[in-house]
Amino acid sequence: YMDSIENDYITCPLPNDPRIQKKLEQGFAWYYQRALTGDAKAQYTVANAYLAGVGTAIDYPKAMEYLHQAAVQGYAPAQATY
């Protein structure tokens, strides 16, 4: 699902299986840690996760914050979205 979010689409509804939710949360945590180091692609992925609530709660202000950070660094997908 994280790869799908990164490409601006979700291929299917997120299942309610707790095991899958845990994997999504772990994936989000990994991308979040990378985003904190200044990785623009990770910042963009975190922004999309916040927008869609994948692996984390929906949080539009945080999504815009990370999208802005990625765009300022010149990450083209973030610039096109921001």
Side-chain angles (χ1 to χ4, degrees), residues 2-80:
M2 293 304 281
D3 286 336
S4 299
I5 294 296
E6 186 175 314
N7 294 316
D8 295 332
Y9 61 90
I10 298 175
T11 56
C12 63
L14 295 175
N16 291 325
D17 185 335
R19 294 171 298 176
I20 293 175
Q21 290 302 322
K22 182 174 180 164
K23 294 273 187 190
L24 292 172
E25 290 167 5
Q26 291 171 339
F28 175 80
W30 185 87
Y31 277 103
Y32 183 77
Q33 289 302 314
R34 296 285 303 154
L36 293 177
T37 68
D39 183 308
K41 186 175 180 181
Q43 290 168 338
Y44 179 71
T45 301
V46 166
N48 281 303
Y50 276 130
L51 285 172
V54 176
T56 189
I58 291 174
D59 190 325
Y60 298 122
K62 284 184 182 178
M64 293 308 293
E65 174 187 335
Y66 282 97
L67 192 59
H68 175 74
Q69 289 176 17
V72 167
Q73 291 187 71
Y75 190 64
Q79 290 175 329

